[in-house]
Each structure stands twice: as C-alpha cells, then as structure tokens.
C-alpha cells in the first residue's frame, strides 16, 4: 500500500532562557501591546502578529513561546521578541537558549483504519470507543503519543523535533499495514 501521508505541524511549545532577571513592570510601561497583571498571572503576555506566536515572559528571565508552526518560525519569533524588547529599552545580555518542549502535529494517512483490530494487535494503546472515538497509541521510539481515528487522520503530540513527527507517522503507517489494519478509501469515500 503506498504511503501518502500528509503531515502538518500545528503548534510548537518552547521554553527560552535569558539568564537574567527582568523588570516586567518596566516592560509593561515601555513595550506596546503587552499585557501584565501580576495579581492574575505572574507572567507578561507578549503577542506577535508575524509569525503569530504568544510569549509568556517571567521575571526570572524564562519565557514560554507557543504558536510557531516550524522550528525556523520559532527561532524567527524569539529573535523578533528579543529585538523588540531591546528596541524599547530593555537591557538584554547574552544569547537566548531555546528548548522545544512539545510539538503538536496532525496527519492524514489517506486510508481507513480498523481501530478494533489495531487496538487488539498494537501494544501500548488505549481504545474505548464509547468514551472517545480515537485510539490512543504510545510510541516508544520516537517517544510520542498518537491519537488515531478510523478516517486515517491523527494527532501527534510529545515530539521534540519535527523529524520525530514524520518518523512516527511513517512508523505507525508501516505497522498498521503490517498488521492488516488499514484499507484504501473506496472511490465514494474520498474527500472532496
């Protein structure tokens, strides 16, 4: 059966360490379009329009950046955030350390998956169709969790690198084919 999977990175969550304490009150006063209400949340919220990401900045110098759709976009966003903070008078020293915590992706295998059979034959899975229509599969290598639906669509979470997402999708496709848990879409079942 030919491998025709389409994979999309939906969100990358990363932590950024600046190795210095930050004055969030000064940031709130001088940087436009930021939100800071320490009574509600200890971090300053900084939203970028392009790339469309949100950063939570803490006084410890740590940041959480979400919304990037690629590693390149994540790096570009962090550079733009740092540049913007410096432009508005924030004295930032040193190089930011970026660490990806989680990549969430979606994929479409373009096949029908027999989830009952897959649940019986795959290890490390949970499938309770009365509770949730997808099979939850915990892959060991790469270490990700896949939510697999009978439509052949899936959600992949837990990856630390984009390559891990692609490796996981190919690996589960090959495994489902090997276990005879997939069949091609019939002509009338094709999506338009």
């Amino acid at each position: 059966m030919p491998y025709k999977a389409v994979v999309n990175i939906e969100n990358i969550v990363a932590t950024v360490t600046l190795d210095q304490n930050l004055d969030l009150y000064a940031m709130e006063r001088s940087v436009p379009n930021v939100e800071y209400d320490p009574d509600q949340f200890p971090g300053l919220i900084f939203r970028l329009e392009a790339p469309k990401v949100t950063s939570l900045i803490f006084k410890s110098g740590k940041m959480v950046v979400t919304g990037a759709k690629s590693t390149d976009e994540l790096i570009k966003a962090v550079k733009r955030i740092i540049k913007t903070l410096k432009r508005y008078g924030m004295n930032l020293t040193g190089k930011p350390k970026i660490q990806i915590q989680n990549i969430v992706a979606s994929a479409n295998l373009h096949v029908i998956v027999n989830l009952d059979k897959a649940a019986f034959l795959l290890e490390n899975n949970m499938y309770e169709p009365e509770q949730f229509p997808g099979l939850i599969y915990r892959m060991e290598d790469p270490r990700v969790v896949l939510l697999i639906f009978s439509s052949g669509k899936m959600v992949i979470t837990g990856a630390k690198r984009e390559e891990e997402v692609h490796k996981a999708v190919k690996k589960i496709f090959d495994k489902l084919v090997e276990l005879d848990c997939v069949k091609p879409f019939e002509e009338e079942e094709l999506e338009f």
Side-chain angles (χ1 to χ4, degrees):
M1 182 172 293
Y3 178 71
K4 299 185 286 192
V6 175
V7 178
N8 290 309
I9 305 294
E10 303 294 343
N11 184 26
I12 298 179
V13 178
T15 51
V16 179
T17 307
L18 296 174
D19 278 338
Q20 71 182 83
N21 287 335
L22 302 172
D23 183 346
L24 300 184
Y25 288 106
M27 258 184 222
E28 181 196 24
R29 283 191 304 274
S30 55
V31 181
N33 304 318
V34 298
E35 298 169 36
Y36 184 50
D37 184 355
D39 295 334
Q40 294 295 313
F41 183 71
L44 178 134
I45 302 167
F46 185 129
R47 289 185 175 85
L48 273 184
E49 285 304 311
K52 193 162 177 61
V53 301
T54 299
S55 176
L56 305 175
I57 304 174
F58 299 92
K59 64 182 177 189
S60 63
K62 295 214 186 295
M63 299 177 6
V64 178
V65 181
T66 64
K69 303 234 185 254
S70 71
T71 306
D72 290 343
E73 196 175 273
L74 170 70
I75 293 165
K76 193 181 294 179
V78 171
K79 285 180 178 175
R80 182 171 264 150
I81 290 165
I82 300 296
K83 192 173 161 184
T84 303
L85 294 176
K86 284 181 176 178
R87 185 181 328 127
Y88 288 99
M90 300 300 114
N91 182 22
L92 302 178
T93 56
K95 190 171 187 266
K97 294 176 193 69
I98 302 171
Q99 184 171 19
I100 293 176
Q101 300 298 327
N102 184 25
I103 296 177
V104 179
S106 61
N108 187 344
L109 298 177
H110 295 288
V111 294
I112 302 289
V113 181
N114 181 337
L115 293 180
D116 291 314
K117 188 173 184 181
F120 185 71
L121 296 172
L122 281 174
E123 294 179 2
N124 300 325
N125 83 79
M126 193 169 80
Y127 181 51
E128 310 247 358
E130 316 79 42
Q131 305 285 320
F132 181 69
L135 180 145
I136 302 166
Y137 178 64
R138 296 183 186 283
M139 190 176 278
E140 293 294 319
D141 180 36
R143 197 170 179 81
V144 298
V145 175
L146 299 100
L147 307 178
I148 305 167
F149 299 91
S150 60
S151 64
K153 293 182 179 175
M154 60 179 65
V155 175
I156 305 94
T157 184
K160 304 278 191 205
R161 295 189 336 270
E162 290 180 57
E163 310 84 67
E164 291 176 348
V165 172
H166 293 280
K167 181 180 174 186
V169 172
K170 176 74 168 104
K171 190 172 177 180
I172 194 62
F173 176 80
D174 291 345
K175 188 72 173 170
L176 292 169
V177 169
E178 176 192 322
L179 298 173
D180 194 32
C181 295
V182 295
K183 68 175 187 169
F185 275 108
E186 299 303 320
E187 286 305 312
E188 62 274 7
E189 293 175 306
L190 284 176
E191 298 172 61
F192 291 100

PDB file of all heavy atoms in Angstrom, residues 8-13 101-107 136-139 142-148 154-161 164-165 168-169:
ATOM      1  N   ASN A   8       1.084  17.952   9.109  1.00  0.00           N
ATOM      2  CA  ASN A   8       1.128  19.402   9.376  1.00  0.00           C
ATOM      3  C   ASN A   8       1.530  19.645  10.819  1.00  0.00           C
ATOM      4  O   ASN A   8       0.916  19.079  11.730  1.00  0.00           O
ATOM      5  CB  ASN A   8      -0.254  20.042   9.163  1.00  0.00           C
ATOM      6  CG  ASN A   8      -0.649  20.076   7.719  1.00  0.00           C
ATOM      7  OD1 ASN A   8       0.112  20.526   6.872  1.00  0.00           O
ATOM      8  ND2 ASN A   8      -1.835  19.584   7.421  1.00  0.00           N
ATOM      9  N   ILE A   9       2.533  20.485  11.020  1.00  0.00           N
ATOM     10  CA  ILE A   9       2.878  20.915  12.371  1.00  0.00           C
ATOM     11  C   ILE A   9       1.850  21.980  12.751  1.00  0.00           C
ATOM     12  O   ILE A   9       1.678  22.962  12.025  1.00  0.00           O
ATOM     13  CB  ILE A   9       4.314  21.502  12.440  1.00  0.00           C
ATOM     14  CG1 ILE A   9       5.357  20.519  11.896  1.00  0.00           C
ATOM     15  CG2 ILE A   9       4.635  21.961  13.864  1.00  0.00           C
ATOM     16  CD1 ILE A   9       5.558  19.257  12.692  1.00  0.00           C
ATOM     17  N   GLU A  10       1.166  21.793  13.870  1.00  0.00           N
ATOM     18  CA  GLU A  10       0.112  22.718  14.294  1.00  0.00           C
ATOM     19  C   GLU A  10       0.607  23.725  15.334  1.00  0.00           C
ATOM     20  O   GLU A  10       0.170  24.871  15.357  1.00  0.00           O
ATOM     21  CB  GLU A  10      -1.083  21.948  14.881  1.00  0.00           C
ATOM     22  CG  GLU A  10      -1.694  20.918  13.945  1.00  0.00           C
ATOM     23  CD  GLU A  10      -2.349  21.513  12.711  1.00  0.00           C
ATOM     24  OE1 GLU A  10      -2.628  22.731  12.695  1.00  0.00           O
ATOM     25  OE2 GLU A  10      -2.564  20.760  11.745  1.00  0.00           O
ATOM     26  N   ASN A  11       1.523  23.288  16.217  1.00  0.00           N
ATOM     27  CA  ASN A  11       1.974  24.155  17.306  1.00  0.00           C
ATOM     28  C   ASN A  11       3.278  23.626  17.873  1.00  0.00           C
ATOM     29  O   ASN A  11       3.441  22.417  18.044  1.00  0.00           O
ATOM     30  CB  ASN A  11       0.912  24.203  18.409  1.00  0.00           C
ATOM     31  CG  ASN A  11       1.260  25.166  19.526  1.00  0.00           C
ATOM     32  OD1 ASN A  11       1.993  26.131  19.345  1.00  0.00           O
ATOM     33  ND2 ASN A  11       0.731  24.905  20.711  1.00  0.00           N
ATOM     34  N   ILE A  12       4.182  24.549  18.162  1.00  0.00           N
ATOM     35  CA  ILE A  12       5.416  24.191  18.863  1.00  0.00           C
ATOM     36  C   ILE A  12       5.449  25.005  20.143  1.00  0.00           C
ATOM     37  O   ILE A  12       5.241  26.221  20.125  1.00  0.00           O
ATOM     38  CB  ILE A  12       6.669  24.484  18.007  1.00  0.00           C
ATOM     39  CG1 ILE A  12       6.636  23.639  16.726  1.00  0.00           C
ATOM     40  CG2 ILE A  12       7.943  24.206  18.809  1.00  0.00           C
ATOM     41  CD1 ILE A  12       7.813  23.856  15.791  1.00  0.00           C
ATOM     42  N   VAL A  13       5.694  24.313  21.268  1.00  0.00           N
ATOM     43  CA  VAL A  13       5.818  24.970  22.565  1.00  0.00           C
ATOM     44  C   VAL A  13       7.276  24.864  22.976  1.00  0.00           C
ATOM     45  O   VAL A  13       7.841  23.761  22.988  1.00  0.00           O
ATOM     46  CB  VAL A  13       4.915  24.308  23.635  1.00  0.00           C
ATOM     47  CG1 VAL A  13       5.098  24.979  24.986  1.00  0.00           C
ATOM     48  CG2 VAL A  13       3.453  24.346  23.206  1.00  0.00           C
ATOM     49  N   GLN A 101       9.756  21.987  23.948  1.00  0.00           N
ATOM     50  CA  GLN A 101       9.151  21.107  24.954  1.00  0.00           C
ATOM     51  C   GLN A 101       8.155  20.137  24.328  1.00  0.00           C
ATOM     52  O   GLN A 101       8.019  19.008  24.796  1.00  0.00           O
ATOM     53  CB  GLN A 101       8.438  21.941  26.028  1.00  0.00           C
ATOM     54  CG  GLN A 101       9.333  22.888  26.776  1.00  0.00           C
ATOM     55  CD  GLN A 101      10.433  22.186  27.545  1.00  0.00           C
ATOM     56  OE1 GLN A 101      10.260  21.078  28.039  1.00  0.00           O
ATOM     57  NE2 GLN A 101      11.588  22.812  27.627  1.00  0.00           N
ATOM     58  N   ASN A 102       7.443  20.592  23.289  1.00  0.00           N
ATOM     59  CA  ASN A 102       6.394  19.762  22.710  1.00  0.00           C
ATOM     60  C   ASN A 102       6.052  20.259  21.307  1.00  0.00           C
ATOM     61  O   ASN A 102       5.970  21.456  21.083  1.00  0.00           O
ATOM     62  CB  ASN A 102       5.137  19.827  23.591  1.00  0.00           C
ATOM     63  CG  ASN A 102       4.023  18.927  23.128  1.00  0.00           C
ATOM     64  OD1 ASN A 102       4.241  17.916  22.466  1.00  0.00           O
ATOM     65  ND2 ASN A 102       2.799  19.292  23.451  1.00  0.00           N
ATOM     66  N   ILE A 103       5.880  19.311  20.413  1.00  0.00           N
ATOM     67  CA  ILE A 103       5.382  19.630  19.075  1.00  0.00           C
ATOM     68  C   ILE A 103       4.062  18.894  18.906  1.00  0.00           C
ATOM     69  O   ILE A 103       3.978  17.695  19.179  1.00  0.00           O
ATOM     70  CB  ILE A 103       6.371  19.199  17.969  1.00  0.00           C
ATOM     71  CG1 ILE A 103       7.682  19.989  18.106  1.00  0.00           C
ATOM     72  CG2 ILE A 103       5.761  19.401  16.582  1.00  0.00           C
ATOM     73  CD1 ILE A 103       8.756  19.592  17.109  1.00  0.00           C
ATOM     74  N   VAL A 104       3.038  19.620  18.483  1.00  0.00           N
ATOM     75  CA  VAL A 104       1.734  19.016  18.191  1.00  0.00           C
ATOM     76  C   VAL A 104       1.538  19.077  16.683  1.00  0.00           C
ATOM     77  O   VAL A 104       1.734  20.124  16.069  1.00  0.00           O
ATOM     78  CB  VAL A 104       0.589  19.760  18.909  1.00  0.00           C
ATOM     79  CG1 VAL A 104      -0.758  19.140  18.566  1.00  0.00           C
ATOM     80  CG2 VAL A 104       0.810  19.759  20.419  1.00  0.00           C
ATOM     81  N   ALA A 105       1.185  17.944  16.098  1.00  0.00           N
ATOM     82  CA  ALA A 105       1.003  17.877  14.651  1.00  0.00           C
ATOM     83  C   ALA A 105      -0.256  17.094  14.332  1.00  0.00           C
ATOM     84  O   ALA A 105      -0.773  16.341  15.172  1.00  0.00           O
ATOM     85  CB  ALA A 105       2.208  17.204  13.997  1.00  0.00           C
ATOM     86  N   SER A 106      -0.741  17.274  13.106  1.00  0.00           N
ATOM     87  CA  SER A 106      -1.848  16.455  12.611  1.00  0.00           C
ATOM     88  C   SER A 106      -1.345  15.743  11.367  1.00  0.00           C
ATOM     89  O   SER A 106      -0.389  16.189  10.729  1.00  0.00           O
ATOM     90  CB  SER A 106      -3.065  17.322  12.290  1.00  0.00           C
ATOM     91  OG  SER A 106      -2.742  18.254  11.275  1.00  0.00           O
ATOM     92  N   ALA A 107      -1.983  14.632  11.060  1.00  0.00           N
ATOM     93  CA  ALA A 107      -1.601  13.893   9.857  1.00  0.00           C
ATOM     94  C   ALA A 107      -2.833  13.208   9.283  1.00  0.00           C
ATOM     95  O   ALA A 107      -3.796  12.937  10.005  1.00  0.00           O
ATOM     96  CB  ALA A 107      -0.527  12.852  10.178  1.00  0.00           C
ATOM     97  N   ILE A 136      -5.667   5.705  21.286  1.00  0.00           N
ATOM     98  CA  ILE A 136      -4.522   6.421  21.847  1.00  0.00           C
ATOM     99  C   ILE A 136      -3.347   5.446  21.856  1.00  0.00           C
ATOM    100  O   ILE A 136      -3.408   4.399  22.496  1.00  0.00           O
ATOM    101  CB  ILE A 136      -4.819   6.925  23.277  1.00  0.00           C
ATOM    102  CG1 ILE A 136      -6.041   7.844  23.253  1.00  0.00           C
ATOM    103  CG2 ILE A 136      -3.602   7.625  23.869  1.00  0.00           C
ATOM    104  CD1 ILE A 136      -6.639   8.131  24.620  1.00  0.00           C
ATOM    105  N   TYR A 137      -2.309   5.772  21.103  1.00  0.00           N
ATOM    106  CA  TYR A 137      -1.152   4.885  20.973  1.00  0.00           C
ATOM    107  C   TYR A 137       0.105   5.582  21.477  1.00  0.00           C
ATOM    108  O   TYR A 137       0.439   6.669  21.021  1.00  0.00           O
ATOM    109  CB  TYR A 137      -0.974   4.468  19.507  1.00  0.00           C
ATOM    110  CG  TYR A 137       0.229   3.588  19.274  1.00  0.00           C
ATOM    111  CD1 TYR A 137       0.314   2.322  19.837  1.00  0.00           C
ATOM    112  CD2 TYR A 137       1.286   4.029  18.492  1.00  0.00           C
ATOM    113  CE1 TYR A 137       1.419   1.511  19.628  1.00  0.00           C
ATOM    114  CE2 TYR A 137       2.402   3.230  18.276  1.00  0.00           C
ATOM    115  CZ  TYR A 137       2.463   1.971  18.852  1.00  0.00           C
ATOM    116  OH  TYR A 137       3.569   1.176  18.653  1.00  0.00           O
ATOM    117  N   ARG A 138       0.777   4.944  22.432  1.00  0.00           N
ATOM    118  CA  ARG A 138       2.022   5.488  22.983  1.00  0.00           C
ATOM    119  C   ARG A 138       3.201   4.802  22.302  1.00  0.00           C
ATOM    120  O   ARG A 138       3.444   3.625  22.532  1.00  0.00           O
ATOM    121  CB  ARG A 138       2.086   5.258  24.491  1.00  0.00           C
ATOM    122  CG  ARG A 138       1.000   5.991  25.220  1.00  0.00           C
ATOM    123  CD  ARG A 138       1.086   5.845  26.741  1.00  0.00           C
ATOM    124  NE  ARG A 138      -0.070   6.451  27.361  1.00  0.00           N
ATOM    125  CZ  ARG A 138      -0.231   7.760  27.526  1.00  0.00           C
ATOM    126  NH1 ARG A 138       0.696   8.582  27.120  1.00  0.00           N
ATOM    127  NH2 ARG A 138      -1.326   8.232  28.088  1.00  0.00           N
ATOM    128  N   MET A 139       3.894   5.562  21.470  1.00  0.00           N
ATOM    129  CA  MET A 139       5.045   5.024  20.746  1.00  0.00           C
ATOM    130  C   MET A 139       6.296   5.246  21.589  1.00  0.00           C
ATOM    131  O   MET A 139       6.455   6.308  22.199  1.00  0.00           O
ATOM    132  CB  MET A 139       5.173   5.739  19.388  1.00  0.00           C
ATOM    133  CG  MET A 139       6.176   5.135  18.442  1.00  0.00           C
ATOM    134  SD  MET A 139       6.164   5.980  16.823  1.00  0.00           S
ATOM    135  CE  MET A 139       4.770   5.172  16.030  1.00  0.00           C
ATOM    136  N   PRO A 142      10.049   7.173  17.950  1.00  0.00           N
ATOM    137  CA  PRO A 142      10.258   8.291  18.874  1.00  0.00           C
ATOM    138  C   PRO A 142       9.191   8.299  19.964  1.00  0.00           C
ATOM    139  O   PRO A 142       8.113   7.736  19.787  1.00  0.00           O
ATOM    140  CB  PRO A 142      10.147   9.523  17.977  1.00  0.00           C
ATOM    141  CG  PRO A 142       9.300   9.087  16.825  1.00  0.00           C
ATOM    142  CD  PRO A 142       9.581   7.635  16.629  1.00  0.00           C
ATOM    143  N   ARG A 143       9.496   8.934  21.071  1.00  0.00           N
ATOM    144  CA  ARG A 143       8.598   8.938  22.226  1.00  0.00           C
ATOM    145  C   ARG A 143       7.494   9.977  22.015  1.00  0.00           C
ATOM    146  O   ARG A 143       7.655  11.158  22.353  1.00  0.00           O
ATOM    147  CB  ARG A 143       9.402   9.237  23.490  1.00  0.00           C
ATOM    148  CG  ARG A 143       8.679   8.877  24.761  1.00  0.00           C
ATOM    149  CD  ARG A 143       9.640   8.973  25.941  1.00  0.00           C
ATOM    150  NE  ARG A 143       8.979   8.668  27.175  1.00  0.00           N
ATOM    151  CZ  ARG A 143       8.747   7.438  27.613  1.00  0.00           C
ATOM    152  NH1 ARG A 143       9.143   6.411  26.900  1.00  0.00           N
ATOM    153  NH2 ARG A 143       8.123   7.244  28.760  1.00  0.00           N
ATOM    154  N   VAL A 144       6.387   9.532  21.419  1.00  0.00           N
ATOM    155  CA  VAL A 144       5.249  10.408  21.125  1.00  0.00           C
ATOM    156  C   VAL A 144       3.956   9.670  21.447  1.00  0.00           C
ATOM    157  O   VAL A 144       3.953   8.447  21.627  1.00  0.00           O
ATOM    158  CB  VAL A 144       5.223  10.847  19.632  1.00  0.00           C
ATOM    159  CG1 VAL A 144       6.464  11.654  19.276  1.00  0.00           C
ATOM    160  CG2 VAL A 144       5.056   9.672  18.709  1.00  0.00           C
ATOM    161  N   VAL A 145       2.869  10.427  21.501  1.00  0.00           N
ATOM    162  CA  VAL A 145       1.538   9.842  21.642  1.00  0.00           C
ATOM    163  C   VAL A 145       0.762  10.202  20.384  1.00  0.00           C
ATOM    164  O   VAL A 145       0.786  11.341  19.936  1.00  0.00           O
ATOM    165  CB  VAL A 145       0.817  10.375  22.904  1.00  0.00           C
ATOM    166  CG1 VAL A 145      -0.607   9.849  22.973  1.00  0.00           C
ATOM    167  CG2 VAL A 145       1.592   9.999  24.163  1.00  0.00           C
ATOM    168  N   LEU A 146       0.096   9.190  19.817  1.00  0.00           N
ATOM    169  CA  LEU A 146      -0.703   9.408  18.612  1.00  0.00           C
ATOM    170  C   LEU A 146      -2.160   9.122  18.930  1.00  0.00           C
ATOM    171  O   LEU A 146      -2.473   8.105  19.554  1.00  0.00           O
ATOM    172  CB  LEU A 146      -0.245   8.473  17.491  1.00  0.00           C
ATOM    173  CG  LEU A 146       1.205   8.628  17.037  1.00  0.00           C
ATOM    174  CD1 LEU A 146       2.068   7.550  17.658  1.00  0.00           C
ATOM    175  CD2 LEU A 146       1.302   8.546  15.545  1.00  0.00           C
ATOM    176  N   LEU A 147      -3.046  10.023  18.516  1.00  0.00           N
ATOM    177  CA  LEU A 147      -4.486   9.780  18.570  1.00  0.00           C
ATOM    178  C   LEU A 147      -4.870   9.406  17.151  1.00  0.00           C
ATOM    179  O   LEU A 147      -4.770  10.244  16.246  1.00  0.00           O
ATOM    180  CB  LEU A 147      -5.242  11.028  19.011  1.00  0.00           C
ATOM    181  CG  LEU A 147      -4.800  11.706  20.304  1.00  0.00           C
ATOM    182  CD1 LEU A 147      -5.622  12.959  20.555  1.00  0.00           C
ATOM    183  CD2 LEU A 147      -4.931  10.746  21.465  1.00  0.00           C
ATOM    184  N   ILE A 148      -5.270   8.160  16.954  1.00  0.00           N
ATOM    185  CA  ILE A 148      -5.529   7.655  15.607  1.00  0.00           C
ATOM    186  C   ILE A 148      -7.039   7.458  15.439  1.00  0.00           C
ATOM    187  O   ILE A 148      -7.683   6.831  16.282  1.00  0.00           O
ATOM    188  CB  ILE A 148      -4.790   6.313  15.382  1.00  0.00           C
ATOM    189  CG1 ILE A 148      -3.298   6.488  15.680  1.00  0.00           C
ATOM    190  CG2 ILE A 148      -5.014   5.803  13.962  1.00  0.00           C
ATOM    191  CD1 ILE A 148      -2.531   5.183  15.788  1.00  0.00           C
ATOM    192  N   MET A 154      -4.954  11.709  12.256  1.00  0.00           N
ATOM    193  CA  MET A 154      -4.368  11.529  13.583  1.00  0.00           C
ATOM    194  C   MET A 154      -3.788  12.829  14.118  1.00  0.00           C
ATOM    195  O   MET A 154      -3.532  13.762  13.353  1.00  0.00           O
ATOM    196  CB  MET A 154      -3.304  10.433  13.560  1.00  0.00           C
ATOM    197  CG  MET A 154      -2.152  10.680  12.629  1.00  0.00           C
ATOM    198  SD  MET A 154      -0.920   9.355  12.693  1.00  0.00           S
ATOM    199  CE  MET A 154      -1.847   7.995  12.078  1.00  0.00           C
ATOM    200  N   VAL A 155      -3.585  12.838  15.417  1.00  0.00           N
ATOM    201  CA  VAL A 155      -2.914  13.933  16.105  1.00  0.00           C
ATOM    202  C   VAL A 155      -1.688  13.321  16.771  1.00  0.00           C
ATOM    203  O   VAL A 155      -1.775  12.247  17.376  1.00  0.00           O
ATOM    204  CB  VAL A 155      -3.841  14.582  17.165  1.00  0.00           C
ATOM    205  CG1 VAL A 155      -3.088  15.636  17.970  1.00  0.00           C
ATOM    206  CG2 VAL A 155      -5.064  15.186  16.498  1.00  0.00           C
ATOM    207  N   ILE A 156      -0.553  13.990  16.629  1.00  0.00           N
ATOM    208  CA  ILE A 156       0.702  13.505  17.199  1.00  0.00           C
ATOM    209  C   ILE A 156       1.166  14.552  18.202  1.00  0.00           C
ATOM    210  O   ILE A 156       1.201  15.742  17.893  1.00  0.00           O
ATOM    211  CB  ILE A 156       1.790  13.326  16.102  1.00  0.00           C
ATOM    212  CG1 ILE A 156       1.287  12.427  14.984  1.00  0.00           C
ATOM    213  CG2 ILE A 156       3.067  12.761  16.706  1.00  0.00           C
ATOM    214  CD1 ILE A 156       0.686  13.136  13.819  1.00  0.00           C
ATOM    215  N   THR A 157       1.534  14.126  19.394  1.00  0.00           N
ATOM    216  CA  THR A 157       1.983  15.062  20.417  1.00  0.00           C
ATOM    217  C   THR A 157       3.163  14.475  21.184  1.00  0.00           C
ATOM    218  O   THR A 157       3.327  13.259  21.244  1.00  0.00           O
ATOM    219  CB  THR A 157       0.825  15.433  21.367  1.00  0.00           C
ATOM    220  OG1 THR A 157       1.272  16.417  22.296  1.00  0.00           O
ATOM    221  CG2 THR A 157       0.309  14.241  22.132  1.00  0.00           C
ATOM    222  N   GLY A 158       3.982  15.359  21.721  1.00  0.00           N
ATOM    223  CA  GLY A 158       5.105  14.914  22.540  1.00  0.00           C
ATOM    224  C   GLY A 158       6.453  14.932  21.844  1.00  0.00           C
ATOM    225  O   GLY A 158       7.477  14.727  22.483  1.00  0.00           O
ATOM    226  N   ALA A 159       6.480  15.192  20.550  1.00  0.00           N
ATOM    227  CA  ALA A 159       7.757  15.219  19.828  1.00  0.00           C
ATOM    228  C   ALA A 159       8.572  16.432  20.253  1.00  0.00           C
ATOM    229  O   ALA A 159       8.019  17.460  20.644  1.00  0.00           O
ATOM    230  CB  ALA A 159       7.511  15.250  18.322  1.00  0.00           C
ATOM    231  N   LYS A 160       9.884  16.298  20.169  1.00  0.00           N
ATOM    232  CA  LYS A 160      10.787  17.408  20.493  1.00  0.00           C
ATOM    233  C   LYS A 160      11.432  17.978  19.229  1.00  0.00           C
ATOM    234  O   LYS A 160      12.017  19.047  19.254  1.00  0.00           O
ATOM    235  CB  LYS A 160      11.904  16.942  21.441  1.00  0.00           C
ATOM    236  CG  LYS A 160      11.409  16.315  22.731  1.00  0.00           C
ATOM    237  CD  LYS A 160      11.054  17.331  23.760  1.00  0.00           C
ATOM    238  CE  LYS A 160      10.821  16.647  25.104  1.00  0.00           C
ATOM    239  NZ  LYS A 160       9.967  17.409  25.963  1.00  0.00           N
ATOM    240  N   ARG A 161      11.354  17.226  18.125  1.00  0.00           N
ATOM    241  CA  ARG A 161      11.913  17.684  16.856  1.00  0.00           C
ATOM    242  C   ARG A 161      10.938  17.344  15.742  1.00  0.00           C
ATOM    243  O   ARG A 161      10.239  16.323  15.810  1.00  0.00           O
ATOM    244  CB  ARG A 161      13.257  16.996  16.578  1.00  0.00           C
ATOM    245  CG  ARG A 161      14.348  17.364  17.581  1.00  0.00           C
ATOM    246  CD  ARG A 161      15.746  16.869  17.215  1.00  0.00           C
ATOM    247  NE  ARG A 161      15.816  15.717  16.346  1.00  0.00           N
ATOM    248  CZ  ARG A 161      15.857  14.437  16.756  1.00  0.00           C
ATOM    249  NH1 ARG A 161      15.821  14.153  18.042  1.00  0.00           N
ATOM    250  NH2 ARG A 161      15.927  13.457  15.891  1.00  0.00           N
ATOM    251  N   GLU A 164      10.941  13.847  14.290  1.00  0.00           N
ATOM    252  CA  GLU A 164      10.300  12.797  15.092  1.00  0.00           C
ATOM    253  C   GLU A 164       8.837  12.617  14.688  1.00  0.00           C
ATOM    254  O   GLU A 164       8.329  11.497  14.690  1.00  0.00           O
ATOM    255  CB  GLU A 164      10.393  13.120  16.586  1.00  0.00           C
ATOM    256  CG  GLU A 164      11.785  13.031  17.146  1.00  0.00           C
ATOM    257  CD  GLU A 164      11.873  13.453  18.611  1.00  0.00           C
ATOM    258  OE1 GLU A 164      10.903  14.026  19.147  1.00  0.00           O
ATOM    259  OE2 GLU A 164      12.919  13.202  19.211  1.00  0.00           O
ATOM    260  N   VAL A 165       8.177  13.713  14.346  1.00  0.00           N
ATOM    261  CA  VAL A 165       6.772  13.643  13.920  1.00  0.00           C
ATOM    262  C   VAL A 165       6.679  12.806  12.644  1.00  0.00           C
ATOM    263  O   VAL A 165       5.886  11.863  12.556  1.00  0.00           O
ATOM    264  CB  VAL A 165       6.178  15.052  13.686  1.00  0.00           C
ATOM    265  CG1 VAL A 165       4.798  14.952  13.058  1.00  0.00           C
ATOM    266  CG2 VAL A 165       6.127  15.831  14.985  1.00  0.00           C
ATOM    267  N   ALA A 168       7.426   9.142  13.262  1.00  0.00           N
ATOM    268  CA  ALA A 168       6.332   8.472  13.973  1.00  0.00           C
ATOM    269  C   ALA A 168       5.174   8.141  13.026  1.00  0.00           C
ATOM    270  O   ALA A 168       4.608   7.043  13.087  1.00  0.00           O
ATOM    271  CB  ALA A 168       5.834   9.336  15.126  1.00  0.00           C
ATOM    272  N   VAL A 169       4.828   9.073  12.148  1.00  0.00           N
ATOM    273  CA  VAL A 169       3.711   8.854  11.219  1.00  0.00           C
ATOM    274  C   VAL A 169       4.051   7.716  10.253  1.00  0.00           C
ATOM    275  O   VAL A 169       3.242   6.820  10.023  1.00  0.00           O
ATOM    276  CB  VAL A 169       3.345  10.154  10.467  1.00  0.00           C
ATOM    277  CG1 VAL A 169       2.331   9.888   9.372  1.00  0.00           C
ATOM    278  CG2 VAL A 169       2.805  11.190  11.456  1.00  0.00           C
TER     279      VAL A 169
END
